[in-house]
Amino acid sequence: MDFRALPDFPRFNLGVSLLIGLLSSGLLLILPADSISSLFQVLALAQASLLAIIVSVGLLSVQIAANQFTPLIGRRFEEDEFLTSTILRFGASIALALIAMLLIPELYPLTGRLPLFGLVLLIAAGTGGATFSFLSVIEVKDDMLNYLNPESILDDLLEDVSFEAYRSFSEELQENGPTARSPVLEIFQIGQRAFEDNDNHTALYAIHTLDKASQKILTEYGELTEEERRDVSFHQRDLFDYWKRLIDSAVENGTDKTLYQIVLSQKEIATVAAENRLSSVGGEAAKTLQYLCEQAYQRDRLDKGYYARFKHILEASIKYDVPGIANSTVIYMKSFAFTITRDFEHEGEHRSWEESIVDNLFAYLRDTWSKVFEEKSGQIKDGEYRDLHDRFEKTIGHYVSTCWAFDRPYPSNLESDLTSVAISAAENDEQWAVSRITRMLIELWVITERRDSRRINGLARIIDSGGRKGVEDAFDHILSYEHVDPDDMGEPVVIGEDDWEEKMEQQSSKMYDNVVEGIGRLNSVPDFREHVVGLREQMETRYNDFFADSDTQR
């Protein structure tokens, strides 16, 4: 008989037990008292033996699970009532069998003078109770096997996960030591042990479970009001520390599938954080993704599918209107790009693998920057997206200056990427941004001595997209500065000397206020005006005295 096909164990067991109990009462008609008493003696001994086996096997299964998965499984065993209920069932049934064994020889001769119903009920209860206990072994078997099945354990742990349980454990651990259970910690330990045992199937399931647990915690935390959040501590670093330790194990012992599952988990966690407007949590997810990419890169296991998830995090930040997550993500993308840049060597006409990684990262920045202009126009210059816009500018400038410091080429598509962003700004009439991005382009062209036609074509595309005023302002700003020779700057200013702040301000006022921070000030380049004026004249030729017309309009 396939017991797995039984639809409802408790009802089935109870029905069978009642039936056997009633049928066994018929033994009064065919067996003497001694035989019936011996029957209950056998039932009592059998149940006692089986109970001893069940308890021994149950404890052994818990010990095996503790050694294989996590030592904390013992706490779950203490809280689980299956063994307690089994002992109670068998104990009650054994007691009934013993009572029946003792009373039947005394009551049997009195059946003619005593109501027959009482004796029938005693025999039915004794045999029915024994039958119910024996049938319940099927349930006990399933419960014990659950302790040896990691997926069942992980599913049970996930059900126990809550923000309150996570918070309570973190706070009690800090104040009183490990006094509370933490389902999240147990999930992490099962995953870590699976990596140590090279059990990638269990590791994958543990990662999936930890992902769902993290999302569950974030969702419950996000449902709290601002006032309630101020009264509780989240301890998000503990949660992401579990992820980083799993990353270390996955990079060392895991398969590519386990690494990719962690990558997807960070994307999902960041998305849930954005949905609940948890800016710092989304930033931590991006930071964890950066950590994974760097560890994978150092061990030559990096795949494009890993760092491509940065783009998804950026998109989720914009979609749910949480620019703080995108701001943090840009920082971690830049840090990862620096790690790549310090290692690669330029291979002439061919782009190296490392250079293509950086090109892709900056393409993700370009797409997100453009998306901000397309979807958040009017909220940028003086709104909540201004910090993100400035972060894009600073990231470009800092990375370019680092490339020059390490004698590395900056991203091959950087100028076309900036042109695309300026076009998006022009199409949405953000002329102030068109001006700043155009200035950035001109700065790069002058410093790198770019002379090809791509400069003119790029500016033409910006103008044709509606950015005429911004391009004009960019040229006016740059040409408002005169060349300053280093000798004209005066003696170096010593911080702390008399009037040092005023002297610094005077020196700074002579220098061009460039957009790309970290590169040489443009008006310290001797022929910068010639370069800029020449570029402007080419634009005037292309657009039939474009700037002369704009001067007249003003």
Side-chain angles (χ1 to χ4, degrees), residues 375-386:
E375 299 184 2
K376 307 299 177 181
S377 181
Q379 306 177 47
I380 306 174
K381 184 176 182 180
D382 299 312
E384 59 180 342
Y385 281 86
R386 181 56 188 264

Side-chain angles (χ1 to χ4, degrees), residues 19 45 48 50 85 140 158 160 205 373 394 396 412 422 501 510 524 526 541:
L19 178 61
L45 290 174
L50 186 57
S85 62
V140 175
L158 181 59
D160 294 341
Y205 203 84
F373 285 118
K394 292 177 181 178
I396 298 295
S412 61
E501 293 181 343
K510 299 179 181 179
S524 65
T541 301

Side-chain angles (χ1 to χ4, degrees), residues 265-286:
S265 297
Q266 299 314 302
K267 184 206 73 170
E268 294 297 330
I269 291 172
T271 301
V272 172
E275 291 174 354
N276 292 277
R277 305 192 64 79
L278 303 175
S279 182
S280 61
V281 178
E284 281 292 332

